[in-house]
Amino acid sequence: MRAAEAIRKCIAGSDLVTGKLKTKVQDAYSMRSSPQVIGAAHDAVAHARRQVEIELNAVADNPIFLPQYELTLTGANFQGSPISLPMDMAGAAITMVCVLSERRLNRLTNRR
């Protein structure tokens, strides 16, 4: 909804919105799908941020020494999956937004 509102602000007063341009058109896919793609990308980046913040606040040593309990724990705390998977998802989301942006820029600069 936030992405759609931002787009509505950008096109306010345009010829299609005001009715100055009388041609009935269907916008290109790169225009129609922008709110959905941007919204999903925003959610993916927010999720990645939450996951990375969790990991930044986690114990990453191996082994973990808990002297107060006379305990040594070994595990796979060096494994990068908790950060790499959300970062891959964020990268894919950002790429989708970039692809749509490139297509819209092409429409603006190339009249053919």
Side-chain angles (χ1 to χ4, degrees):
M1 290 184 341
R2 183 171 62 185
E5 179 60 28
I7 292 170
R8 275 193 294 274
K9 286 180 183 177
C10 287
I11 64 171
S14 71
D15 289 350
L16 280 174
V17 173
T18 63
K20 188 185 242 183
L21 185 61
K22 301 294 183 195
T23 305
K24 175 72 175 154
V25 297
Q26 179 175 348
D27 291 329
Y29 174 75
S30 61
M31 304 297 280
R32 296 190 321 259
S33 66
S34 290
Q36 292 85 349
V37 172
I38 293 168
H42 181 269
D43 292 345
V45 170
H47 171 72
R49 179 181 178 161
R50 281 191 304 275
Q51 293 305 113
V52 169
E53 286 175 350
I54 288 169
E55 291 304 311
L56 287 173
N57 289 301
V59 175
D61 293 332
N62 194 38
I64 301 168
F65 298 102
L66 302 171
Q68 68 270 33
Y69 301 109
E70 296 182 13
L71 184 61
T72 301
L73 301 172
T74 59
N77 300 328
F78 52 84
Q79 177 52 258
S81 296
I83 292 178
S84 66
L85 292 174
M87 290 290 95
D88 283 348
M89 182 175 59
I94 292 166
T95 299
M96 286 190 288
V97 172
C98 290
V99 167
L100 288 180
S101 297
E102 183 278 328
R103 290 288 78 210
R104 289 191 309 267
L105 181 62
N106 181 63
R107 290 175 62 84
L108 287 171
T109 58
N110 186 0
R111 288 286 190 186
R112 294 205 247 148

